[in-house]
Every structure is written in C-alpha cells, then in structure tokens.
C-alpha cells in the first residue's frame, strides 16, 4: 500500500539517528497475530494492517535481543510535543479487551466532539493503537467502531486527559493521520 510505504519512508527520514537504528531492528507482525486482529476487528483499516505487517509496534517492543521505544505518529497536542508510539498487534488486542472508563467526560460534555459516542468505548468496539510519549497517561489514539450517529465507524479518536483541559476529538481516519503527520521529533 503506497500510503503506508510513503509514511514509513517519511518517518525514517525524519527520525534521529538513534531512533532510526532502533526502528531498523523492527519487523512485521506474524500472520497469526494479523489474522487474529482481522478476525476480532473485521473492519480494521487495511492501512493499519499494512503498517503492522511492516512494523509490529514501537512501544517497549522486543525484537529478538533488541527492545525498541520509538515515536511513530506525530501529534497536534502542545504543538506536536507529544508524539505517539505504535502499539504492537498483541498490545492492541490486549488493551482493547476492556471497557475504557470515560465517565469523567460527562463533566466536560461541551468539550467532547459530538461524533464520539457518549456511552464510551466498550470491548471490541474500538482498537487502542497508539500511546502518547508519556506512556499513554495524557493521550491515547483509538479506532472507533461505535461512534455516535454523527460520527463515522472507523474514525480515529484521541482522548487527551488533563485535569485542567479535556479534549476529545476525531482525527477522522487513519489515512489522514498517515498523510499529514507531524514528523518532527
């Protein structure tokens, strides 16, 4: 898929030397893991599958003797100062099994995008695929398969948690995220 190939090429060109060396030790997910992701989430975007076939995560991910921690996705949070790690296929499957408690959003209803289902993220209705550089404590990215009537199934949503500011907004699609990433690390 040209979209993913172009993204990976641009990513590698933007990474600092040490991060590039780490990323070059990565390999793609196993066919078994990809098949499990696809069977669990039949509407999983092909662009995510293709990306995982090239690089199966960069979040404390072991490849042989090497453990890598590399930012892969840019961010618009704090002017791009909080990029994201890509979770591995197994990390995605594991972290998407539980209901995400988003009850605190009820306090900030006016800040929550109307395309996001106010009922929250229920098991197997989302894929948690990326964590912010601070281990997901501030921000996480999800593919949402259960949006509100105003949303679109497969939209990417970002939950930013900050006690002083809560922003929750769709990025719209993985294609848009890969086409227009902030690649300055």
């Amino acid at each position: 898929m040209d979209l993913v190939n172009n993204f990976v090429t641009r990513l590698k060109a933007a990474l600092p030397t040490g991060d590039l060396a780490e990323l070059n030790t990565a390999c793609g997910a196993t066919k078994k893991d990809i098949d499990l992701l696809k069977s669990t989430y039949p509407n999983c975007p092909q662009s995510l599958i293709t990306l995982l076939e090239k690089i199966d995560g960069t979040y404390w991910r072991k490849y042989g003797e090497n453990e890598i921690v590399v930012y892969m996705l840019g961010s618009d949070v704090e002017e791009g100062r909080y990029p994201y790690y890509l979770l591995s296929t197994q990390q995605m499957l594991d972290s998407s099994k539980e209901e995400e408690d988003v009850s605190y959003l009820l306090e900030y209803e006016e800040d929550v995008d109307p395309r996001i289902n106010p009922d929250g993220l229920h098991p197997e209705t989302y894929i948690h695929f990326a964590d912010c550089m601070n281990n997901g404590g501030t921000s996480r990215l999800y593919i949402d398969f259960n949006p509100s009537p105003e949303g679109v199934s497969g939209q990417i949503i970002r939950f930013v948690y900050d006690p002083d500011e809560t922003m929750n907004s769709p990025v719209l699609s993985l294609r848009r995220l890969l086409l227009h990433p902030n690649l300055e690390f």
Side-chain angles (χ1 to χ4, degrees), residues 101-180:
D101 180 17
V102 294
S103 58
Y104 68 90
L105 293 177
L106 297 175
E107 298 174 37
Y108 304 96
E109 198 170 328
E110 67 281 353
D111 295 330
V112 178
D113 191 289
R115 295 171 282 191
I116 297 172
N117 190 331
D119 292 339
L121 297 170
H122 301 285
E124 298 188 4
T125 66
Y126 69 91
I127 300 172
H128 167 213
F129 72 96
D131 272 348
C132 181
M133 67 184 290
N134 69 349
N135 301 321
T138 300
S139 180
R140 291 180 167 190
L141 296 178
Y142 302 86
I143 299 172
D144 178 16
F145 300 111
N146 187 33
S148 76
E150 295 176 44
V152 176
S153 182
Q155 68 189 5
I156 305 298
I157 56 176
R158 174 189 66 212
F159 281 103
V160 176
Y161 179 74
D162 177 336
D164 300 320
E165 179 180 348
T166 302
M167 302 182 316
N168 302 288
S169 59
V171 177
L172 298 183
S173 71
L174 190 58
R175 176 177 176 76
R176 181 173 166 201
L177 185 65
L178 294 178
L179 281 174
H180 302 289

Side-chain angles (χ1 to χ4, degrees), residues 66-84:
N66 301 309
E67 184 173 61
I68 71 169
V69 184
V70 178
Y71 306 133
M72 276 208 50
L73 301 167
S75 170
D76 62 351
V77 177
E78 296 282 327
E79 299 175 7
R81 289 187 291 232
Y82 290 96
Y84 292 89

